Amino acid sequence: MATVRTYPWVRHFLGTPTGHVVHLRRGRLAHEGVGQAFWFRPTTSVLSEVPVDDQELPVFFHAATADHQDVTVQAGVTYRYVDPVTVSQRLDFAVDPHDGSTSTAGRDQVTAIVGRLAQSHATDLLATLTLADAMTAGVPRVRALLVDALPADPRLAATGIAVLGVQVLAVRPEKDVERALQTPAREHVQAEADRATYERRALAVERERTIAENELASQIELATRRERLVEQEGANARREAQEKAAAALVDTRASVERSRLTTEAKAAQVREVGAAEATAEQARMEVYARAGQETLRALALRDAARSLPSVQHLTVTPDLLTGVLGTLVGGAGSVVTAGGAGTTARTER
């Protein structure tokens, strides 16, 4: 937007980099171009500022298809003022010389012209298409038509307007029709989602079954190994018991053999001792047989004396001494009897 500064009886105009100004003084061209700066008198000057940058125009309109269905077209047109002088002569882009404000009438005229042309061409094309075709191929076909038709329009060329590009964003039916058309697709998507859910569940069940089978197989393998372990432990226990029994049998046999050998040794010793004692006894009997009675009696007294108590005091009377001497001297068959008359013996322990 240009800037107009007010001074007494004169004004100063300062243009912009995107505005092409046309200054007419008393009907004649005084200044023209982009970014102009000049002095002028408001009573004799007419100013117009035409934008030279790209302009974006959104277009929104309704059309009817061949099967009498209403559709909405949403598009956008990019254009530029390629001949600002012609545009300033054909359209109203006047600038107020007092405050620098620009009229919007020219922009509104361009919007109306471009919008009607785009709607006219698109409506003619959609009238030949069914709703299904418009929904599937309406956007590229409408865009191709407008790209060819708008730049070649003679009115736009005569006005100094060049169409740079056309964008068709959507061709949509009414909400109820669009919802009805979306139902099969939604059902198909839902069916695909259900199928994916079922497949996921089936896969989860299959994986769970696989896991359960693996766990069962592991349990079976553990049970088999445990059974083998029990069998091996039983075999080891039996072998150990057999080895212990064999060792005990060997020990028993050795003990019995030792007892037998000991018994035989003791028996042999007893036999030898008995034989020696018998031999000694026999020899003693032979000595006794050859000895006289007095000798035997003396031996008997000696043996008896060994079992008698100790005699601390012995009193020998003449009668006892006479009898003993008589026995020793004469003694055929006389027997000394202790405790006769006139003989006393006292023993003390």
Side-chain angles (χ1 to χ4, degrees):
M1 181 177 178
T3 303
V4 177
R5 296 183 181 276
T6 303
Y7 297 94
W9 303 291
V10 70
R11 301 290 186 272
H12 184 269
F13 179 88
L14 179 62
T16 60
T18 59
H20 188 103
V21 64
V22 178
H23 176 206
L24 300 178
R25 183 183 301 124
R26 294 186 176 91
R28 294 181 181 181
L29 183 62
H31 298 90
E32 176 197 358
V34 177
Q36 294 290 319
F38 52 86
W39 296 91
F40 67 95
R41 297 183 64 181
T43 57
T44 61
S45 298
V46 175
L47 301 176
S48 297
E49 187 180 22
V50 179
V52 294
D53 56 342
D54 295 345
Q55 304 293 313
E56 297 290 339
L57 175 63
V59 180
F60 186 84
F61 57 89
H62 292 270
T65 61
D67 49 359
H68 308 289
Q69 297 295 325
D70 183 69
V71 294
T72 301
V73 180
Q74 183 178 358
V77 179
T78 304
Y79 63 94
R80 181 187 299 167
Y81 301 106
V82 294
D83 190 354
V85 177
T86 304
V87 172
S88 65
Q89 295 173 358
R90 301 287 299 270
L91 301 176
D92 185 7
F93 284 94
V95 177
D96 191 344
H98 298 283
D99 56 6
S101 61
T102 304
S103 174
T104 60
R107 295 178 182 272
D108 296 339
Q109 290 174 346
V110 174
T111 300
I113 293 171
V114 176
R116 290 195 191 98
L117 288 175
Q119 181 176 359
S120 175
H121 292 294
T123 301
D124 293 341
L125 175 62
L126 292 174
T128 62
L129 301 176
T130 62
L131 179 61
D133 294 336
M135 293 294 296
T136 56
V139 172
R141 295 186 64 175
V142 171
R143 181 173 60 247
L145 175 63
L146 295 181
V147 168
D148 294 338
L150 292 181
D153 187 80
R155 183 178 179 183
L156 294 179
T159 309
I161 299 174
V163 176
L164 304 179
V166 177
Q167 303 83 31
V168 179
L169 303 180
V171 177
R172 303 182 61 178
E174 296 179 350
K175 292 184 178 180
D176 296 339
V177 177
E178 184 178 11
R179 191 179 298 109
L181 292 175
Q182 291 175 350
T183 300
R186 289 179 179 176
E187 293 296 332
H188 178 71
V189 172
Q190 185 64 38
E192 290 296 325
D194 294 341
R195 184 179 62 82
T197 302
Y198 297 150
E199 291 179 355
R200 184 171 61 254
R201 291 180 180 176
L203 181 60
V205 171
E206 181 66 21
R207 290 179 178 176
E208 290 179 358
R209 184 183 64 82
T210 303
I211 294 173
E213 290 180 354
N214 292 335
E215 291 179 352
L216 182 60
S218 300
Q219 293 178 1
I220 293 174
E221 181 66 21
L222 291 176
T224 304
R225 293 184 179 181
R226 189 178 297 110
E227 181 180 3
R228 293 177 183 175
L229 178 61
V230 171
E231 292 179 357
Q232 187 64 36
E233 289 179 350
N236 294 338
R238 289 193 298 271
R239 187 177 295 109
E240 184 178 0
Q242 292 175 358
E243 294 295 334
K244 289 182 179 179
L249 179 61
V250 172
D251 292 341
T252 303
R253 288 179 179 177
S255 178
V256 171
E257 185 67 19
R258 286 195 299 269
S259 299
R260 186 182 63 80
L261 293 176
T262 303
T263 303
E264 290 179 356
K266 289 182 178 180
Q269 183 179 4
V270 169
R271 286 194 300 270
E272 291 178 359
V273 171
E277 291 179 352
T279 302
E281 187 68 22
Q282 184 178 359
R284 191 164 42 252
M285 290 298 107
E286 291 179 357
V287 171
Y288 288 164
R290 288 193 300 268
Q293 292 182 356
E294 294 300 329
T295 302
L296 295 175
R297 183 178 295 111
L299 293 174
L301 289 174
R302 187 191 63 183
D303 294 336
R306 293 176 180 175
S307 59
L308 290 176
S310 299
V311 178
Q312 301 295 332
H313 301 281
L314 178 62
T315 303
V316 179
T317 63
D319 296 335
L320 180 58
L321 183 60
T322 302
V324 172
L325 293 176
T327 302
L328 294 174
V329 175
S334 63
V335 177
V336 178
T337 302
T343 302
T344 58
R346 185 177 62 183
T347 63
E348 293 181 1
R349 293 177 177 267

